[in-house]
Amino acid sequence: RYPDIELTLEEQNLLARMVWVEAQGEPFEGQQAIAEIVLNRLVAENFQSSVKNVVYAENQFRSTAFLEDAKPTSIQYEAIERALEGPYVLPIDVVFFATYPVNDNIWGEIGGHIFCYQNS
């Protein structure tokens, strides 16, 4: 699904911190889905092309202010591995999540997050 994505150790650590901040209290499936959102954005044409740029894009993730204090565990790293290798939780064109619908193009809900496709 993501044949051209190979995350560096730095990118894995950043993504693990983001998953921890955004979804540490969510079920494993929800944590994997957060990692998939970032990967889905990497392969989408209208988002940034690096993990760092996706995570720190303006007005995209509220978690960025708390990333330095994050303490990811093996669970977040496992969620990233599953997001990369499958089985996948989300379709590849689901690129948004929040505690509310960000648009009317809703895929579904996992835990406290609602996941949305891009608007057509």
Side-chain angles (χ1 to χ4, degrees):
R1 180 180 201 169
Y2 308 110
D4 297 328
I5 295 178
E6 286 191 34
L7 301 179
T8 66
L9 185 56
E10 182 181 338
E11 290 172 323
Q12 290 175 40
N13 291 335
L14 174 59
L15 186 51
R17 289 194 316 269
M18 186 194 153
V19 171
W20 187 85
V21 171
E22 292 282 359
Q24 64 177 314
E26 297 292 327
F28 181 81
E29 180 182 52
Q31 294 188 46
Q32 179 180 335
I34 301 302
E36 286 183 31
I37 290 289
V38 173
L39 299 175
N40 289 351
R41 287 182 178 199
L42 285 175
V43 297
E45 292 181 6
N46 58 326
F47 287 95
Q48 294 77 8
S49 59
S50 76
V51 171
K52 183 177 181 179
N53 289 344
V54 166
V55 169
Y56 287 105
E58 190 173 352
N59 299 319
Q60 293 301 302
F61 300 108
R62 293 185 214 171
S63 65
T64 55
F66 309 103
L67 291 178
E68 291 302 315
D69 298 325
K71 306 216 181 321
T73 68
S74 60
I75 293 170
Q76 286 77 45
Y77 288 95
E78 184 180 340
I80 293 167
E81 186 176 320
R82 290 277 301 269
L84 282 165
E85 304 296 330
Y88 306 107
V89 174
L90 302 174
I92 199 165
D93 53 347
V94 173
V95 294
F96 297 115
F97 77 96
T99 55
Y100 56 89
V102 298
N103 62 37
D104 293 333
N105 207 353
I106 297 170
W107 170 81
E109 188 172 340
I110 302 172
H113 290 121
I114 298 170
F115 294 84
C116 296
Y117 296 96
Q118 293 195 61
N119 280 329
S120 308

